[in-house]
Amino acid sequence: QVQLVESGGGLVQAGGSLRVSCVASGRTFRSYVMGWFRQAPGKEREFVAAISGSGGTTLHADSVKGRFTISRDNAKNTVYLQMNRLKPEDTAVYYCAQSTLWDGIRWPQNYDAWGQGTQVTVSS
């Protein structure tokens, strides 16, 4: 049974940093693309970043490029999202997800496993 468990969310002031983590279990972690999405109240789920199975290729949304960094540790079955220079508009529930393909990684429908989410709140 596939399970993704996020942690590390919280409340931070604008300009601060947080690192959220996602531990995966149930299938061979390194075989899967990992992605981070976020969803704010009343908005659609939004792509944040993705990383290939080996970790050698990453993609970040323009809205977070230069501030957020996705990484993974295949020995620990864990993917991370380091978030720096946070802004109030980054406030959302952050979800990790798994996909078998790199094509279409910006689209939630291409991921077949999701975590429960972790809340990130950035105060102004």
Side-chain angles (χ1 to χ4, degrees):
Q1 182 180 356
V2 178
Q3 190 172 19
L4 304 176
V5 180
E6 300 97 335
S7 62
L11 174 64
V12 64
Q13 288 189 330
S17 297
L18 273 178
R19 188 178 78 162
V20 291
S21 304
C22 170
V23 179
S25 60
R27 53 191 187 185
T28 306
F29 182 68
R30 65 181 179 274
S31 298
Y32 292 86
V33 172
M34 296 299 298
W36 284 100
F37 288 76
R38 65 187 182 186
Q39 189 165 19
K43 295 189 176 182
E44 293 187 350
R45 195 163 294 191
E46 174 190 21
F47 172 77
V48 176
I51 187 167
S52 62
S54 67
T57 303
T58 62
L59 180 68
H60 296 82
D62 288 345
S63 59
V64 306
K65 201 172 292 183
R67 300 188 298 122
F68 291 11
T69 303
I70 189 171
S71 62
R72 66 191 294 161
D73 184 340
N74 286 345
K76 296 182 178 180
N77 287 0
T78 302
V79 61
Y80 306 98
L81 185 68
Q82 177 67 45
M83 302 182 288
N84 299 328
R85 292 186 282 135
L86 281 159
K87 304 175 181 180
E89 52 263 44
D90 295 319
T91 295
V93 177
Y94 282 72
Y95 298 90
C96 69
Q98 280 187 333
S99 176
T100 56
L101 300 173
W102 186 256
D103 287 346
I105 56 169
R106 293 179 179 269
W107 310 112
Q109 59 265 34
N110 292 325
Y111 291 76
D112 63 357
W114 290 84
Q116 83 289 349
T118 186
Q119 176 71 47
V120 172
T121 302
V122 184
S123 64
S124 57

